[in-house]
PDB file of all heavy atoms in Angstrom:
ATOM      1  N   THR Y 236     109.143-103.152 118.888  1.00 79.00           N
ATOM      2  CA  THR Y 236     108.801-102.842 117.502  1.00 79.00           C
ATOM      3  C   THR Y 236     107.310-103.041 117.313  1.00 79.00           C
ATOM      4  O   THR Y 236     106.764-104.094 117.629  1.00 79.00           O
ATOM      5  CB  THR Y 236     109.562-103.757 116.527  1.00 79.00           C
ATOM      6  OG1 THR Y 236     110.961-103.588 116.731  1.00 79.00           O
ATOM      7  CG2 THR Y 236     109.217-103.410 115.087  1.00 79.00           C
ATOM      8  N   VAL Y 237     106.658-102.011 116.807  1.00 81.00           N
ATOM      9  CA  VAL Y 237     105.205-102.030 116.610  1.00 81.00           C
ATOM     10  C   VAL Y 237     104.903-101.898 115.129  1.00 81.00           C
ATOM     11  O   VAL Y 237     105.519-101.077 114.431  1.00 81.00           O
ATOM     12  CB  VAL Y 237     104.531-100.873 117.381  1.00 81.00           C
ATOM     13  CG1 VAL Y 237     103.048-100.807 117.081  1.00 81.00           C
ATOM     14  CG2 VAL Y 237     104.765-101.025 118.871  1.00 81.00           C
ATOM     15  N   MET Y 238     103.975-102.711 114.644  1.00 78.00           N
ATOM     16  CA  MET Y 238     103.506-102.578 113.267  1.00 78.00           C
ATOM     17  C   MET Y 238     102.279-101.690 113.269  1.00 78.00           C
ATOM     18  O   MET Y 238     101.227-102.056 113.802  1.00 78.00           O
ATOM     19  CB  MET Y 238     103.172-103.955 112.691  1.00 78.00           C
ATOM     20  CG  MET Y 238     104.365-104.892 112.596  1.00 78.00           C
ATOM     21  SD  MET Y 238     105.740-104.214 111.610  1.00 78.00           S
ATOM     22  CE  MET Y 238     104.954-104.148 109.997  1.00 78.00           C
ATOM     23  N   GLY Y 239     102.412-100.497 112.716  1.00 72.00           N
ATOM     24  CA  GLY Y 239     101.323 -99.537 112.724  1.00 72.00           C
ATOM     25  C   GLY Y 239     100.469 -99.611 111.477  1.00 72.00           C
ATOM     26  O   GLY Y 239     100.447-100.614 110.767  1.00 72.00           O
ATOM     27  N   LYS Y 240      99.769 -98.519 111.206  1.00 71.00           N
ATOM     28  CA  LYS Y 240      98.885 -98.457 110.044  1.00 71.00           C
ATOM     29  C   LYS Y 240      99.687 -98.644 108.764  1.00 71.00           C
ATOM     30  O   LYS Y 240     100.798 -98.137 108.631  1.00 71.00           O
ATOM     31  CB  LYS Y 240      98.156 -97.109 110.004  1.00 71.00           C
ATOM     32  CG  LYS Y 240      97.051 -96.966 111.041  1.00 71.00           C
ATOM     33  CD  LYS Y 240      96.286 -95.673 110.842  1.00 71.00           C
ATOM     34  CE  LYS Y 240      95.106 -95.575 111.778  1.00 71.00           C
ATOM     35  NZ  LYS Y 240      94.346 -94.310 111.588  1.00 71.00           N
ATOM     36  N   GLY Y 241      99.098 -99.376 107.832  1.00 65.00           N
ATOM     37  CA  GLY Y 241      99.761 -99.599 106.560  1.00 65.00           C
ATOM     38  C   GLY Y 241     100.983-100.487 106.665  1.00 65.00           C
ATOM     39  O   GLY Y 241     101.821-100.490 105.762  1.00 65.00           O
ATOM     40  N   GLY Y 242     101.105-101.228 107.764  1.00 69.00           N
ATOM     41  CA  GLY Y 242     102.240-102.123 107.915  1.00 69.00           C
ATOM     42  C   GLY Y 242     103.555-101.413 108.175  1.00 69.00           C
ATOM     43  O   GLY Y 242     104.627-101.980 107.969  1.00 69.00           O
ATOM     44  N   GLN Y 243     103.485-100.148 108.633  1.00 73.00           N
ATOM     45  CA  GLN Y 243     104.703 -99.384 108.904  1.00 73.00           C
ATOM     46  C   GLN Y 243     105.216 -99.708 110.310  1.00 73.00           C
ATOM     47  O   GLN Y 243     104.485 -99.589 111.288  1.00 73.00           O
ATOM     48  CB  GLN Y 243     104.414 -97.881 108.796  1.00 73.00           C
ATOM     49  CG  GLN Y 243     104.005 -97.432 107.402  1.00 73.00           C
ATOM     50  CD  GLN Y 243     105.093 -97.648 106.375  1.00 73.00           C
ATOM     51  OE1 GLN Y 243     106.248 -97.294 106.618  1.00 73.00           O
ATOM     52  NE2 GLN Y 243     104.743 -98.226 105.243  1.00 73.00           N
ATOM     53  N   ALA Y 244     106.472-100.136 110.406  1.00 78.00           N
ATOM     54  CA  ALA Y 244     107.062-100.478 111.697  1.00 78.00           C
ATOM     55  C   ALA Y 244     107.690 -99.248 112.327  1.00 78.00           C
ATOM     56  O   ALA Y 244     108.229 -98.377 111.646  1.00 78.00           O
ATOM     57  CB  ALA Y 244     108.109-101.573 111.518  1.00 78.00           C
ATOM     58  N   ARG Y 245     107.598 -99.172 113.657  1.00 81.00           N
ATOM     59  CA  ARG Y 245     108.268 -98.098 114.390  1.00 81.00           C
ATOM     60  C   ARG Y 245     108.694 -98.632 115.750  1.00 81.00           C
ATOM     61  O   ARG Y 245     108.124 -99.591 116.265  1.00 81.00           O
ATOM     62  CB  ARG Y 245     107.362 -96.875 114.546  1.00 81.00           C
ATOM     63  CG  ARG Y 245     106.180 -97.047 115.482  1.00 81.00           C
ATOM     64  CD  ARG Y 245     105.309 -95.784 115.469  1.00 81.00           C
ATOM     65  NE  ARG Y 245     104.309 -95.763 116.530  1.00 81.00           N
ATOM     66  CZ  ARG Y 245     103.155 -96.405 116.482  1.00 81.00           C
ATOM     67  NH1 ARG Y 245     102.852 -97.123 115.419  1.00 81.00           N
ATOM     68  NH2 ARG Y 245     102.297 -96.331 117.486  1.00 81.00           N
ATOM     69  N   MET Y 246     109.718 -97.994 116.306  1.00 82.00           N
ATOM     70  CA  MET Y 246     110.236 -98.375 117.609  1.00 82.00           C
ATOM     71  C   MET Y 246     109.577 -97.518 118.682  1.00 82.00           C
ATOM     72  O   MET Y 246     109.505 -96.291 118.542  1.00 82.00           O
ATOM     73  CB  MET Y 246     111.753 -98.205 117.661  1.00 82.00           C
ATOM     74  CG  MET Y 246     112.510 -99.060 116.654  1.00 82.00           C
ATOM     75  SD  MET Y 246     112.320-100.824 116.966  1.00 82.00           S
ATOM     76  CE  MET Y 246     113.283-100.992 118.483  1.00 82.00           C
ATOM     77  N   ILE Y 247     109.097 -98.175 119.735  1.00 83.00           N
ATOM     78  CA  ILE Y 247     108.387 -97.484 120.804  1.00 83.00           C
ATOM     79  C   ILE Y 247     109.097 -97.750 122.131  1.00 83.00           C
ATOM     80  O   ILE Y 247     109.377 -98.902 122.474  1.00 83.00           O
ATOM     81  CB  ILE Y 247     106.929 -97.992 120.903  1.00 83.00           C
ATOM     82  CG1 ILE Y 247     106.149 -97.628 119.651  1.00 83.00           C
ATOM     83  CG2 ILE Y 247     106.232 -97.412 122.131  1.00 83.00           C
ATOM     84  CD1 ILE Y 247     105.966 -96.146 119.443  1.00 83.00           C
ATOM     85  N   PRO Y 248     109.389 -96.695 122.894  1.00 84.00           N
ATOM     86  CA  PRO Y 248     109.994 -96.915 124.209  1.00 84.00           C
ATOM     87  C   PRO Y 248     108.969 -97.462 125.205  1.00 84.00           C
ATOM     88  O   PRO Y 248     107.791 -97.117 125.144  1.00 84.00           O
ATOM     89  CB  PRO Y 248     110.461 -95.510 124.624  1.00 84.00           C
ATOM     90  CG  PRO Y 248     109.565 -94.582 123.877  1.00 84.00           C
ATOM     91  CD  PRO Y 248     109.248 -95.259 122.568  1.00 84.00           C
ATOM     92  N   VAL Y 249     109.428 -98.326 126.082  1.00 84.00           N
ATOM     93  CA  VAL Y 249     108.570 -98.887 127.123  1.00 84.00           C
ATOM     94  C   VAL Y 249     109.122 -98.421 128.466  1.00 84.00           C
ATOM     95  O   VAL Y 249     110.309 -98.604 128.755  1.00 84.00           O
ATOM     96  CB  VAL Y 249     108.548-100.430 127.059  1.00 84.00           C
ATOM     97  CG1 VAL Y 249     107.662-100.999 128.151  1.00 84.00           C
ATOM     98  CG2 VAL Y 249     108.080-100.886 125.691  1.00 84.00           C
ATOM     99  N   SER Y 250     108.278 -97.806 129.273  1.00 83.00           N
ATOM    100  CA  SER Y 250     108.722 -97.256 130.546  1.00 83.00           C
ATOM    101  C   SER Y 250     109.160 -98.360 131.504  1.00 83.00           C
ATOM    102  O   SER Y 250     108.805 -99.537 131.343  1.00 83.00           O
ATOM    103  CB  SER Y 250     107.590 -96.446 131.189  1.00 83.00           C
ATOM    104  OG  SER Y 250     106.545 -97.316 131.605  1.00 83.00           O
ATOM    105  N   ALA Y 251     109.922 -97.963 132.518  1.00 85.00           N
ATOM    106  CA  ALA Y 251     110.369 -98.919 133.532  1.00 85.00           C
ATOM    107  C   ALA Y 251     109.166 -99.534 134.236  1.00 85.00           C
ATOM    108  O   ALA Y 251     109.159-100.728 134.556  1.00 85.00           O
ATOM    109  CB  ALA Y 251     111.287 -98.219 134.536  1.00 85.00           C
ATOM    110  N   ARG Y 252     108.129 -98.726 134.467  1.00 87.00           N
ATOM    111  CA  ARG Y 252     106.903 -99.232 135.107  1.00 87.00           C
ATOM    112  C   ARG Y 252     106.259-100.321 134.255  1.00 87.00           C
ATOM    113  O   ARG Y 252     105.861-101.370 134.753  1.00 87.00           O
ATOM    114  CB  ARG Y 252     105.910 -98.088 135.301  1.00 87.00           C
ATOM    115  CG  ARG Y 252     106.269 -97.058 136.340  1.00 87.00           C
ATOM    116  CD  ARG Y 252     105.311 -95.884 136.243  1.00 87.00           C
ATOM    117  NE  ARG Y 252     103.929 -96.337 136.246  1.00 87.00           N
ATOM    118  CZ  ARG Y 252     103.128 -96.291 137.306  1.00 87.00           C
ATOM    119  NH1 ARG Y 252     103.577 -95.807 138.453  1.00 87.00           N
ATOM    120  NH2 ARG Y 252     101.880 -96.709 137.228  1.00 87.00           N
ATOM    121  N   ALA Y 253     106.163-100.030 132.945  1.00 87.00           N
ATOM    122  CA  ALA Y 253     105.524-100.998 132.046  1.00 87.00           C
ATOM    123  C   ALA Y 253     106.362-102.269 131.933  1.00 87.00           C
ATOM    124  O   ALA Y 253     105.815-103.373 131.882  1.00 87.00           O
ATOM    125  CB  ALA Y 253     105.325-100.371 130.668  1.00 87.00           C
ATOM    126  N   ARG Y 254     107.695-102.125 131.914  1.00 87.00           N
ATOM    127  CA  ARG Y 254     108.557-103.309 131.823  1.00 87.00           C
ATOM    128  C   ARG Y 254     108.394-104.203 133.052  1.00 87.00           C
ATOM    129  O   ARG Y 254     108.387-105.424 132.952  1.00 87.00           O
ATOM    130  CB  ARG Y 254     110.020-102.898 131.654  1.00 87.00           C
ATOM    131  CG  ARG Y 254     110.333-102.278 130.305  1.00 87.00           C
ATOM    132  CD  ARG Y 254     111.801-102.429 129.940  1.00 87.00           C
ATOM    133  NE  ARG Y 254     112.692-101.902 130.952  1.00 87.00           N
ATOM    134  CZ  ARG Y 254     113.066-100.617 131.023  1.00 87.00           C
ATOM    135  NH1 ARG Y 254     112.591 -99.742 130.138  1.00 87.00           N
ATOM    136  NH2 ARG Y 254     113.904-100.214 131.959  1.00 87.00           N
ATOM    137  N   GLU Y 255     108.244-103.565 134.198  1.00 89.00           N
ATOM    138  CA  GLU Y 255     108.046-104.325 135.428  1.00 89.00           C
ATOM    139  C   GLU Y 255     106.731-105.102 135.379  1.00 89.00           C
ATOM    140  O   GLU Y 255     106.671-106.278 135.747  1.00 89.00           O
ATOM    141  CB  GLU Y 255     108.057-103.370 136.625  1.00 89.00           C
ATOM    142  CG  GLU Y 255     107.957-104.064 137.965  1.00 89.00           C
ATOM    143  CD  GLU Y 255     108.004-103.081 139.120  1.00 89.00           C
ATOM    144  OE1 GLU Y 255     108.513-101.954 138.931  1.00 89.00           O
ATOM    145  OE2 GLU Y 255     107.532-103.432 140.219  1.00 89.00           O
ATOM    146  N   ALA Y 256     105.677-104.414 134.917  1.00 90.00           N
ATOM    147  CA  ALA Y 256     104.377-105.082 134.807  1.00 90.00           C
ATOM    148  C   ALA Y 256     104.413-106.172 133.739  1.00 90.00           C
ATOM    149  O   ALA Y 256     103.812-107.245 133.904  1.00 90.00           O
ATOM    150  CB  ALA Y 256     103.296-104.050 134.473  1.00 90.00           C
ATOM    151  N   LEU Y 257     105.138-105.913 132.648  1.00 90.00           N
ATOM    152  CA  LEU Y 257     105.271-106.913 131.591  1.00 90.00           C
ATOM    153  C   LEU Y 257     105.966-108.178 132.085  1.00 90.00           C
ATOM    154  O   LEU Y 257     105.570-109.295 131.743  1.00 90.00           O
ATOM    155  CB  LEU Y 257     106.058-106.317 130.412  1.00 90.00           C
ATOM    156  CG  LEU Y 257     105.277-105.653 129.292  1.00 90.00           C
ATOM    157  CD1 LEU Y 257     106.213-104.904 128.360  1.00 90.00           C
ATOM    158  CD2 LEU Y 257     104.451-106.667 128.524  1.00 90.00           C
ATOM    159  N   ALA Y 258     107.009-107.989 132.884  1.00 89.00           N
ATOM    160  CA  ALA Y 258     107.745-109.139 133.396  1.00 89.00           C
ATOM    161  C   ALA Y 258     106.840-110.028 134.239  1.00 89.00           C
ATOM    162  O   ALA Y 258     106.907-111.265 134.158  1.00 89.00           O
ATOM    163  CB  ALA Y 258     108.934-108.662 134.225  1.00 89.00           C
ATOM    164  N   GLU Y 259     105.972-109.390 135.035  1.00 92.00           N
ATOM    165  CA  GLU Y 259     105.037-110.159 135.858  1.00 92.00           C
ATOM    166  C   GLU Y 259     104.009-110.867 134.986  1.00 92.00           C
ATOM    167  O   GLU Y 259     103.639-112.017 135.244  1.00 92.00           O
ATOM    168  CB  GLU Y 259     104.347-109.214 136.849  1.00 92.00           C
ATOM    169  CG  GLU Y 259     103.506-109.909 137.908  1.00 92.00           C
ATOM    170  CD  GLU Y 259     104.332-110.803 138.820  1.00 92.00           C
ATOM    171  OE1 GLU Y 259     105.544-110.537 138.980  1.00 92.00           O
ATOM    172  OE2 GLU Y 259     103.768-111.766 139.356  1.00 92.00           O
ATOM    173  N   TRP Y 260     103.572-110.171 133.931  1.00 92.00           N
ATOM    174  CA  TRP Y 260     102.584-110.772 133.025  1.00 92.00           C
ATOM    175  C   TRP Y 260     103.161-111.977 132.295  1.00 92.00           C
ATOM    176  O   TRP Y 260     102.489-112.997 132.124  1.00 92.00           O
ATOM    177  CB  TRP Y 260     102.074-109.737 132.030  1.00 92.00           C
ATOM    178  CG  TRP Y 260     101.287-110.321 130.888  1.00 92.00           C
ATOM    179  CD1 TRP Y 260     101.634-110.316 129.573  1.00 92.00           C
ATOM    180  CD2 TRP Y 260     100.044-111.018 130.971  1.00 92.00           C
ATOM    181  NE1 TRP Y 260     100.692-110.955 128.826  1.00 92.00           N
ATOM    182  CE2 TRP Y 260      99.689-111.402 129.659  1.00 92.00           C
ATOM    183  CE3 TRP Y 260      99.198-111.357 132.009  1.00 92.00           C
ATOM    184  CZ2 TRP Y 260      98.524-112.103 129.369  1.00 92.00           C
ATOM    185  CZ3 TRP Y 260      98.027-112.057 131.728  1.00 92.00           C
ATOM    186  CH2 TRP Y 260      97.704-112.419 130.421  1.00 92.00           C
ATOM    187  N   ILE Y 261     104.408-111.878 131.853  1.00 90.00           N
ATOM    188  CA  ILE Y 261     105.045-112.985 131.135  1.00 90.00           C
ATOM    189  C   ILE Y 261     105.066-114.249 132.003  1.00 90.00           C
ATOM    190  O   ILE Y 261     104.897-115.369 131.514  1.00 90.00           O
ATOM    191  CB  ILE Y 261     106.474-112.606 130.699  1.00 90.00           C
ATOM    192  CG1 ILE Y 261     106.443-111.454 129.676  1.00 90.00           C
ATOM    193  CG2 ILE Y 261     107.192-113.811 130.107  1.00 90.00           C
ATOM    194  CD1 ILE Y 261     105.710-111.772 128.398  1.00 90.00           C
ATOM    195  N   LYS Y 262     105.267-114.057 133.308  1.00 90.00           N
ATOM    196  CA  LYS Y 262     105.272-115.208 134.215  1.00 90.00           C
ATOM    197  C   LYS Y 262     103.900-115.883 134.283  1.00 90.00           C
ATOM    198  O   LYS Y 262     103.797-117.102 134.402  1.00 90.00           O
ATOM    199  CB  LYS Y 262     105.678-114.769 135.619  1.00 90.00           C
ATOM    200  CG  LYS Y 262     107.086-114.234 135.754  1.00 90.00           C
ATOM    201  CD  LYS Y 262     107.320-113.759 137.183  1.00 90.00           C
ATOM    202  CE  LYS Y 262     108.665-113.067 137.332  1.00 90.00           C
ATOM    203  NZ  LYS Y 262     108.832-112.512 138.704  1.00 90.00           N
ATOM    204  N   LEU Y 263     102.849-115.054 134.225  1.00 91.00           N
ATOM    205  CA  LEU Y 263     101.484-115.571 134.403  1.00 91.00           C
ATOM    206  C   LEU Y 263     100.795-115.921 133.094  1.00 91.00           C
ATOM    207  O   LEU Y 263      99.800-116.652 133.099  1.00 91.00           O
ATOM    208  CB  LEU Y 263     100.633-114.538 135.146  1.00 91.00           C
ATOM    209  CG  LEU Y 263     101.089-114.133 136.551  1.00 91.00           C
ATOM    210  CD1 LEU Y 263     100.230-113.000 137.077  1.00 91.00           C
ATOM    211  CD2 LEU Y 263     101.021-115.325 137.486  1.00 91.00           C
ATOM    212  N   ARG Y 264     101.330-115.381 131.995  1.00 90.00           N
ATOM    213  CA  ARG Y 264     100.665-115.546 130.690  1.00 90.00           C
ATOM    214  C   ARG Y 264     100.389-117.015 130.406  1.00 90.00           C
ATOM    215  O   ARG Y 264     101.295-117.854 130.459  1.00 90.00           O
ATOM    216  CB  ARG Y 264     101.564-114.962 129.606  1.00 90.00           C
ATOM    217  CG  ARG Y 264     101.032-115.101 128.180  1.00 90.00           C
ATOM    218  CD  ARG Y 264     102.061-114.575 127.195  1.00 90.00           C
ATOM    219  NE  ARG Y 264     101.653-114.839 125.825  1.00 90.00           N
ATOM    220  CZ  ARG Y 264     101.902-115.983 125.186  1.00 90.00           C
ATOM    221  NH1 ARG Y 264     102.549-116.953 125.815  1.00 90.00           N
ATOM    222  NH2 ARG Y 264     101.491-116.158 123.944  1.00 90.00           N
ATOM    223  N   PRO Y 265      99.136-117.362 130.094  1.00 87.00           N
ATOM    224  CA  PRO Y 265      98.801-118.770 129.826  1.00 87.00           C
ATOM    225  C   PRO Y 265      99.493-119.293 128.568  1.00 87.00           C
ATOM    226  O   PRO Y 265      99.598-118.590 127.568  1.00 87.00           O
ATOM    227  CB  PRO Y 265      97.276-118.745 129.655  1.00 87.00           C
ATOM    228  CG  PRO Y 265      96.941-117.342 129.316  1.00 87.00           C
ATOM    229  CD  PRO Y 265      97.957-116.485 129.996  1.00 87.00           C
ATOM    230  N   SER Y 266      99.974-120.497 128.651  1.00 81.00           N
ATOM    231  CA  SER Y 266     100.667-121.111 127.515  1.00 81.00           C
ATOM    232  C   SER Y 266      99.734-121.983 126.677  1.00 81.00           C
ATOM    233  O   SER Y 266     100.105-122.402 125.579  1.00 81.00           O
ATOM    234  CB  SER Y 266     101.839-121.961 128.007  1.00 81.00           C
ATOM    235  OG  SER Y 266     101.387-122.940 128.927  1.00 81.00           O
ATOM    236  N   GLU Y 267      98.542-122.225 127.189  1.00 80.00           N
ATOM    237  CA  GLU Y 267      97.547-123.018 126.453  1.00 80.00           C
ATOM    238  C   GLU Y 267      96.241-122.232 126.368  1.00 80.00           C
ATOM    239  O   GLU Y 267      95.796-121.652 127.360  1.00 80.00           O
ATOM    240  CB  GLU Y 267      97.299-124.362 127.156  1.00 80.00           C
ATOM    241  CG  GLU Y 267      98.513-125.287 127.191  1.00 80.00           C
ATOM    242  CD  GLU Y 267      98.906-125.791 125.823  1.00 80.00           C
ATOM    243  OE1 GLU Y 267      98.029-125.776 124.924  1.00 80.00           O
ATOM    244  OE2 GLU Y 267     100.057-126.187 125.635  1.00 80.00           O
ATOM    245  N   PRO Y 268      95.607-122.214 125.173  1.00 79.00           N
ATOM    246  CA  PRO Y 268      96.107-122.782 123.919  1.00 79.00           C
ATOM    247  C   PRO Y 268      97.301-121.978 123.394  1.00 79.00           C
ATOM    248  O   PRO Y 268      97.453-120.804 123.715  1.00 79.00           O
ATOM    249  CB  PRO Y 268      94.906-122.662 122.979  1.00 79.00           C
ATOM    250  CG  PRO Y 268      94.148-121.493 123.506  1.00 79.00           C
ATOM    251  CD  PRO Y 268      94.301-121.533 125.000  1.00 79.00           C
ATOM    252  N   ALA Y 269      98.115-122.624 122.596  1.00 82.00           N
ATOM    253  CA  ALA Y 269      99.314-121.992 122.064  1.00 82.00           C
ATOM    254  C   ALA Y 269      98.950-120.766 121.239  1.00 82.00           C
ATOM    255  O   ALA Y 269      98.020-120.796 120.432  1.00 82.00           O
ATOM    256  CB  ALA Y 269     100.089-122.994 121.204  1.00 82.00           C
ATOM    257  N   SER Y 270      99.641-119.673 121.465  1.00 86.00           N
ATOM    258  CA  SER Y 270      99.379-118.436 120.726  1.00 86.00           C
ATOM    259  C   SER Y 270     100.669-117.655 120.594  1.00 86.00           C
ATOM    260  O   SER Y 270     101.517-117.650 121.495  1.00 86.00           O
ATOM    261  CB  SER Y 270      98.336-117.586 121.452  1.00 86.00           C
ATOM    262  OG  SER Y 270      98.195-116.322 120.827  1.00 86.00           O
ATOM    263  N   LYS Y 271     100.850-116.982 119.472  1.00 89.00           N
ATOM    264  CA  LYS Y 271     102.056-116.177 119.252  1.00 89.00           C
ATOM    265  C   LYS Y 271     101.903-114.768 119.806  1.00 89.00           C
ATOM    266  O   LYS Y 271     102.843-113.977 119.773  1.00 89.00           O
ATOM    267  CB  LYS Y 271     102.352-116.089 117.748  1.00 89.00           C
ATOM    268  CG  LYS Y 271     101.299-115.309 116.963  1.00 89.00           C
ATOM    269  CD  LYS Y 271     101.688-115.186 115.493  1.00 89.00           C
ATOM    270  CE  LYS Y 271     100.668-114.335 114.727  1.00 89.00           C
ATOM    271  NZ  LYS Y 271     101.035-114.149 113.308  1.00 89.00           N
ATOM    272  N   PHE Y 272     100.703-114.451 120.329  1.00 91.00           N
ATOM    273  CA  PHE Y 272     100.428-113.083 120.761  1.00 91.00           C
ATOM    274  C   PHE Y 272     100.749-112.863 122.238  1.00 91.00           C
ATOM    275  O   PHE Y 272     100.653-113.770 123.062  1.00 91.00           O
ATOM    276  CB  PHE Y 272      98.973-112.723 120.479  1.00 91.00           C
ATOM    277  CG  PHE Y 272      98.621-112.735 119.024  1.00 91.00           C
ATOM    278  CD1 PHE Y 272      97.878-113.778 118.486  1.00 91.00           C
ATOM    279  CD2 PHE Y 272      99.055-111.725 118.187  1.00 91.00           C
ATOM    280  CE1 PHE Y 272      97.559-113.801 117.133  1.00 91.00           C
ATOM    281  CE2 PHE Y 272      98.752-111.734 116.831  1.00 91.00           C
ATOM    282  CZ  PHE Y 272      98.012-112.777 116.306  1.00 91.00           C
TER     283      PHE Y 272
END
């Protein structure tokens, strides 16, 4: 779910390639300092 211009939400598909890269990023993503992003 993406919040676009004017605060309008829309659903965006994520490719299998991007999901694979995302999974690797989640493992490496720094936890400090704490961030919701």
Side-chain angles (χ1 to χ4, degrees):
T236 301
V237 175
M238 297 303 295
K240 286 186 175 180
Q243 296 297 313
R245 70 184 191 280
M246 299 296 290
I247 295 295
V249 180
S250 69
R252 290 171 51 102
R254 290 204 305 274
E255 184 179 338
L257 268 169
E259 189 63 26
W260 168 245
I261 295 299
K262 296 177 187 175
L263 300 174
R264 178 184 173 274
S266 57
E267 296 293 338
S270 173
K271 67 177 183 178
F272 297 105

